[in-house]
Amino acid sequence: LRGLLVERGRVAYREDLPRPAPRPGETRVRVLCAGVCATDLALVRGYMDFAGVPGHEFCGVALDGPLAGRRVVGEINAACGDCGECRAGRRRHCERRTVLGILGRSGAFAEELALPSANLHAVPDAVSTDAATFCEPLAAAFRIVEDVELAPGMRALVAGDGRLGLLCARVLVLSGLDVTVTGRHPERAALVLGARYEEGLLDGAPRQKFDLAVDATGDPAALPRVLGRVRPCGTLVLKTTTERPTTLDLAPLVVDEIRLVGSRCGPFEPALDALAQGRIDVESLVCERYALDEGERALERAARAGTLKVLIEVEP
Amino acid sequence: LRGLLVERGRVAYREDLPRPAPRPGETRVRVLCAGVCATDLALVRGYMDFAGVPGHEFCGVALDGPLAGRRVVGEINAACGDCGECRAGRRRHCERRTVLGILGRSGAFAEELALPSANLHAVPDAVSTDAATFCEPLAAAFRIVEDVELAPGMRALVAGDGRLGLLCARVLVLSGLDVTVTGRHPERAALVLGARYEEGLLDGAPRQKFDLAVDATGDPAALPRVLGRVRPCGTLVLKTTTERPTTLDLAPLVVDEIRLVGSRCGPFEPALDALAQGRIDVESLVCERYALDEGERALERAARAGTLKVLIEVEP
């Protein structure tokens, strides 16, 4: 099997990978297209001591199972169905979970993957394969809608104008919020679609505060500054995960009674619906495409500052 | 006026303090009894560059205003009524607030104080002056009931068996939760009333996790360990404020999608009701009483490790 393999902090294109062995109840998927995410880059650098095939954003074709022959996208957490978390209805937090391309399960930067059939969703014809590849990070952005009680007109700040930040901004705009994006790439002002772009909102100067802030900076050192932009009793959704601990003065969080909400994976249904109905554009975020055998270059490109979404066209 | 004055990191008993000058709409209060809180000790050590009369937990007698002649307790945040926060209904977070004994307003460790009449609550006859003095910290514990959607049977951990931790545990027990207290004083197991006491729950060993945790340790270094006791999608209410920043690995917060909720002052009504109906005992937390002219010793005593509530009987 052709694909990208991470071993000892290096990634290499290989043609001799073992074919993923589906367990009972799982479907084999032929990958069409995969997206590169900041987590993939962290895994290559050694996050979670990862070794294996990375990649968890994909659109493919089911080779067997209930959706055989259909284009599919897949939720990345494979649950046991039996532990305390699963029984409590928190399957994405299954204590024995494997996670596609992240934890104990070969990922999407290869010709084939396997996932529990229950994790797969058929892709409506109206959604292109490129757009469907964004379903996983878009679902993560839709997690904010579950995390926080949103009301039209709420003032929201999205800190970070990278791939995930722009998706979060689009979801918040769709929810009727008054959205401001701040980041390091003012040239992306044209990409915030329905939101406002303001430079330097994290510089510490006293300014009006926001009901809601989303930290999608990818930089743990930014958190105290994002916190400084949240009004009393407001909410900060934390999307940034990193390998490094951060130092934080917690007194303002207590004095201003702010809620800090960790947020990871989200629901696929609203993401697919929004794509099918053309209510969220994602294709403008594609900045470059590579073939699978150019995957090493794809990851290098994605790691360069200022890169939006890099796609790997596994089966062009 | 007799009272305690903090200046340049020292506290002194004085008999020449100026009488607090009530502003329009404020009531003068003769203080009967005042409680010493960890915040008072931090202010003496220099927190917020405090200078003035500290003390914000009290029961007194209104000398004028709508409640003249009645025993009263008082909410400590005096709001302007006119700023963005006040107009949004968050008067406790008024941008121009003064805070009794903490910020811009002389406190309760003196014979007299002044507060907006709207901040005062009459104390029912069934509530002793000692018990009423606990109304402010008990209200802070009741803030958790506003912060988090509680359900009977939820498993809660209170980290910290100090004054505030024990009050928080009592409020959670009253709300029907299954409460465990952990701390440094196993001899307080008899004080957790309806909760269970377990030693060493923050030692990092893998153990069952809690739906809700309250950090009332007073130690910012404890937060990562308290976080480790919260189940995925659970809530951690942070009551600990300190002068020092803390270093935190935020990845577990994001991966486990935990909510970290800063929590400060709370509602007086449920606190007074619970005291009036005898549903929460507070008097067992009194460990020592001092007269106002022994106030310096009272603060020294309260700062000693393992001290529960120290009361200053201003007018015995």
Side-chain angles (χ1 to χ4, degrees):
Chain A
L1 199 76
R2 303 187 309 125
L4 304 183
L5 186 70
V6 171
E7 275 180 321
R8 289 173 235 96
R10 278 191 44 80
V11 63
Y13 170 72
R14 300 275 288 264
E15 301 198 331
D16 59 350
L17 297 176
R19 198 169 290 275
R23 288 164 246 192
E26 293 192 353
T27 288
R28 288 167 52 223
V29 176
R30 202 176 79 225
V31 180
L32 298 173
C33 184
V36 181
C37 160
T39 303
D40 301 317
L41 306 174
L43 293 172
V44 172
R45 287 194 308 268
Y47 178 51
M48 297 180 70
D49 296 319
F50 181 80
V53 176
H56 57 275
E57 303 177 359
F58 74 94
C59 176
V61 175
L63 292 175
D64 48 30
L67 296 175
R70 305 275 309 262
R71 276 191 312 152
V72 293
V73 290
E75 306 201 34
I76 68 176
N77 298 283
C80 73
D82 193 43
C83 68
E85 293 304 314
C86 284
R87 284 197 307 267
R90 295 184 295 268
R91 295 174 62 93
R92 291 200 290 254
H93 292 280
C94 168
E95 294 164 24
R96 293 192 279 265
R97 69 184 178 271
T98 59
V99 187
L100 185 72
I102 295 176
L103 182 68
R105 180 174 290 268
S106 251
F109 297 160
E111 290 176 293
E112 217 176 289
L113 59 82
L115 270 177
S117 305
N119 282 39
L120 299 179
H121 300 256
V123 176
D125 291 342
V127 180
S128 72
T129 294
D130 279 5
T133 303
F134 280 87
C135 197
E136 197 278 335
L138 186 58
F142 269 101
R143 178 68 172 148
I144 302 172
V145 179
E146 298 180 331
D147 284 332
V148 188
E149 211 169 310
L150 301 178
M154 269 175 72
R155 298 184 70 245
L157 173 69
V158 175
D161 52 7
R163 303 174 274 258
L164 186 56
L166 293 175
L167 290 176
C168 290
R170 286 165 194 206
V171 166
L172 295 177
V173 167
L174 190 66
S175 302
L177 274 67
D178 175 7
V179 181
T180 302
V181 176
T182 194
R184 294 182 182 166
H185 303 285
E187 70 278 12
R188 293 190 185 157
L191 285 175
V192 300
L193 304 184
R196 168 184 321 109
Y197 193 100
E198 283 186 47
E199 283 188 71
L201 277 190
L202 303 183
D203 63 8
R207 280 206 195 78
Q208 214 190 327
K209 298 193 171 187
F210 294 85
D211 302 307
L212 168 68
V214 177
D215 182 338
T217 57
D219 173 10
L223 181 59
R225 287 173 284 140
V226 181
L227 198 55
R229 292 270 80 87
V230 182
R231 62 131 167 109
C233 303
T235 301
L236 195 168
V237 174
L238 185 59
K239 281 286 184 191
T240 291
T241 46
T242 54
E243 306 102 291
R244 299 187 310 279
T246 188
T247 299
L248 189 62
D249 179 4
L250 293 162
L253 191 127
V254 176
V255 170
D256 286 343
E257 298 192 306
I258 288 169
R259 289 166 181 265
L260 181 59
V261 180
S263 178
R264 187 173 48 112
C265 297
F268 269 49
E269 294 81 356
L272 264 181
D273 283 354
L275 292 173
Q277 294 162 25
R279 285 182 293 131
I280 287 194
D281 160 78
V282 292
E283 302 190 25
S284 62
L285 301 181
V286 176
C287 83
E288 202 126 17
R289 297 158 187 280
Y290 291 86
L292 184 55
D293 60 8
E294 305 169 315
E296 301 164 37
R297 281 176 49 215
L299 290 173
E300 279 167 27
R301 177 73 174 92
R304 228 182 293 160
T307 304
L308 282 169
K309 186 56 78 182
V310 170
L311 295 182
I312 299 180
E313 297 182 312
V314 177
E315 180 184 301
Chain B
L1 198 77
R2 303 188 308 126
L4 305 183
L5 186 70
V6 171
E7 276 181 320
R8 290 174 234 97
R10 277 190 45 80
V11 62
Y13 170 71
R14 299 276 288 265
E15 301 198 331
D16 59 349
L17 297 175
R19 197 169 289 275
R23 287 165 245 192
E26 294 191 355
T27 287
R28 288 165 53 221
V29 176
R30 203 176 79 225
V31 180
L32 298 172
C33 183
V36 181
C37 161
T39 303
D40 300 317
L41 305 174
L43 293 172
V44 172
R45 288 195 306 268
Y47 178 52
M48 297 180 71
D49 295 319
F50 181 81
V53 176
H56 56 275
E57 303 178 359
F58 74 94
C59 176
V61 174
L63 293 175
D64 50 29
L67 296 175
R70 307 272 310 262
R71 276 192 312 154
V72 293
V73 290
E75 305 200 35
I76 68 176
N77 297 282
C80 74
D82 193 41
C83 69
E85 293 304 312
C86 284
R87 284 198 305 265
R90 294 185 295 269
R91 296 173 62 92
R92 291 201 290 255
H93 292 280
C94 167
E95 295 164 23
R96 293 191 281 266
R97 68 183 176 273
T98 59
V99 187
L100 185 72
I102 295 176
L103 183 68
R105 181 175 290 269
S106 250
F109 296 160
E111 290 176 294
E112 218 177 289
L113 60 80
L115 270 176
S117 304
N119 282 40
L120 299 179
H121 299 257
V123 176
D125 291 342
V127 179
S128 72
T129 294
D130 279 5
T133 303
F134 281 87
C135 197
E136 198 278 334
L138 186 58
F142 269 102
R143 178 67 173 148
I144 302 172
V145 179
E146 298 180 331
D147 284 332
V148 187
E149 210 168 311
L150 301 179
M154 269 175 72
R155 298 185 70 246
L157 172 69
V158 175
D161 52 8
R163 302 173 276 257
L164 186 55
L166 292 175
L167 291 175
C168 290
R170 286 164 194 205
V171 166
L172 295 177
V173 166
L174 191 65
S175 303
L177 274 68
D178 176 6
V179 181
T180 303
V181 176
T182 194
R184 295 182 182 167
H185 303 285
E187 70 278 11
R188 292 190 185 157
L191 285 175
V192 299
L193 303 184
R196 163 185 325 108
Y197 194 100
E198 283 186 46
E199 282 188 70
L201 278 190
L202 302 183
D203 63 8
R207 281 208 195 77
Q208 212 190 331
K209 298 194 170 187
F210 293 85
D211 302 307
L212 168 67
V214 177
D215 182 339
T217 57
D219 173 10
L223 181 59
R225 287 173 284 141
V226 181
L227 198 55
R229 291 271 79 87
V230 182
R231 64 136 167 103
C233 303
T235 301
L236 196 169
V237 174
L238 185 59
K239 281 287 185 190
T240 291
T241 47
T242 53
E243 305 102 292
R244 299 186 309 278
T246 189
T247 298
L248 190 61
D249 178 3
L250 293 163
L253 191 126
V254 175
V255 170
D256 286 342
E257 298 192 306
I258 289 169
R259 290 165 181 264
L260 181 59
V261 180
S263 178
R264 188 173 46 113
C265 297
F268 270 46
E269 294 82 355
L272 265 181
D273 283 354
L275 292 174
Q277 294 162 26
R279 285 183 292 131
I280 287 194
D281 158 77
V282 292
E283 303 191 25
S284 63
L285 301 181
V286 177
C287 82
E288 201 127 14
R289 297 157 189 280
Y290 292 85
L292 183 55
D293 60 7
E294 304 168 316
E296 300 163 39
R297 281 175 50 214
L299 291 173
E300 278 167 29
R301 177 71 173 91
R304 228 184 291 160
T307 304
L308 282 170
K309 185 58 78 181
V310 170
L311 296 182
I312 299 180
E313 298 183 311
V314 177
E315 180 185 301

